[in-house]
Amino acid sequence: MFFNDPYNINGYQYVNNPYYMQPRGPYNRYYYDYYNRQQPIRGQATWTEGGQETKCGIPWSQNRYMTAAVGKNSPYECRQTIKVRNPQTGRELLLTVVDEVSGYPQNKINLHRRAFEALGANTAQGVIDVEIIANPELEQQKWGKYLLELTQLAYPDYNIREYNFIRETQVSPTQTQETYEYTLQSQQERIKVRGNVVYNPNTDRIVSFDISEV
């Protein structure tokens, strides 16, 4: 696991990380404008236990099983993070798209059973009404998504419900710091975790990062 590698210092501190993240290519302008409206799409969600293979090549166990499959003609893409809300319970989650479902319309998704239950739904219901919100800020801010994944590893008994970009600071010509805040929910409590990542904007390599409760 990541936290056992030789670069791990003081729990979640990571220094001189050789890990390199390829920058994402520009998004199709039509989809960017569509997503940027941040309007929830009303639809339905079913559930599944998942399978060993997916169309995206990503296991259903990704993101602690907080995963979903979308219709073939859906605007959501593999690896994209979407926010799904159950209006009956008020619970919402950040889910990762890992698969496609044949015959599903754009506003219908198939959730892993654990995600379905985390939304406060009973599997006996089979189908529930949901609101789906794409998360373009998270998709474009790759370091925020990187810290989100590390936060999920650090807090395995919590689900991440909210994500916010706080600020960007120019530390030096070769170091930029970005700060993000995440709202986590367990069965007992809700907490906030703040993450900082310092990287070299010229090489796109991480210098250090830390996460802590606030």
Side-chain angles (χ1 to χ4, degrees), residues 30 32-39 136:
Y30 170 81
Y32 176 78
D33 290 340
Y34 174 78
Y35 289 151
N36 203 37
R37 297 172 193 166
Q38 286 291 281
Q39 295 298 320

Side-chain angles (χ1 to χ4, degrees), residues 66 89 91-93 112-121 159:
M66 297 298 107
T89 63
R91 294 188 184 182
E92 55 188 29
L93 299 170
H112 189 276
R113 174 182 55 80
R114 296 192 188 185
F116 193 85
E117 293 174 333
L119 286 172
N159 294 316

Side-chain angles (χ1 to χ4, degrees), residues 2-64:
F2 175 85
F3 295 122
N4 292 328
D5 67 37
Y7 296 92
N8 179 19
I9 300 175
N10 297 329
Y12 305 124
Q13 186 73 27
Y14 194 81
V15 180
N16 295 328
N17 185 348
Y19 180 82
Y20 178 78
M21 298 184 72
Q22 290 288 348
R24 290 176 177 267
Y27 273 71
N28 177 285
R29 186 65 188 176
Y30 170 81
Y31 282 142
Y32 176 78
D33 290 340
Y34 174 78
Y35 289 151
N36 203 37
R37 297 172 193 166
Q38 286 291 281
Q39 295 298 320
I41 297 176
R42 297 182 183 275
Q44 292 185 317
T46 55
W47 66 273
T48 176
E49 291 288 357
Q52 293 185 349
E53 296 184 3
T54 64
K55 292 289 183 63
C56 299
I58 309 170
W60 280 93
S61 58
Q62 181 85 2
N63 190 15
R64 293 182 55 252

Side-chain angles (χ1 to χ4, degrees), residues 147-202:
L147 286 173
L148 179 146
E149 293 170 352
L150 295 177
T151 300
Q152 289 171 328
L153 288 175
Y155 293 86
D157 296 326
Y158 290 76
N159 294 316
I160 295 182
R161 296 189 55 175
E162 192 59 67
Y163 154 92
N164 288 294
F165 171 73
I166 304 301
R167 61 179 172 269
E168 177 181 301
T169 305
Q170 191 72 35
V171 180
S172 71
T174 59
Q175 291 190 7
T176 299
Q177 176 176 295
E178 293 185 8
T179 302
Y180 300 84
E181 194 169 273
Y182 308 93
T183 301
L184 283 64
Q185 181 74 51
S186 71
Q187 293 184 349
Q188 291 78 29
E189 62 176 348
R190 179 182 295 190
I191 62 174
K192 286 190 176 182
V193 172
R194 179 163 293 190
N196 298 289
V197 60
V198 178
Y199 65 95
N200 186 326
N202 301 317

Side-chain angles (χ1 to χ4, degrees), residues 98-147:
V98 300
D99 205 355
E100 291 182 356
V101 183
S102 300
Y104 269 36
Q106 294 186 9
N107 66 337
K108 189 173 184 179
I109 57 178
N110 197 23
L111 310 181
H112 189 276
R113 174 182 55 80
R114 296 192 188 185
F116 193 85
E117 293 174 333
L119 286 172
N122 190 315
T123 54
Q125 294 177 256
V127 182
I128 60 172
D129 293 329
V130 294
E131 295 176 352
I132 309 168
I133 305 173
N135 213 330
E137 290 88 355
L138 181 57
E139 291 304 307
Q140 292 181 19
Q141 294 166 346
K142 62 180 180 181
W143 300 120
K145 189 169 185 178
Y146 178 63
L147 286 173

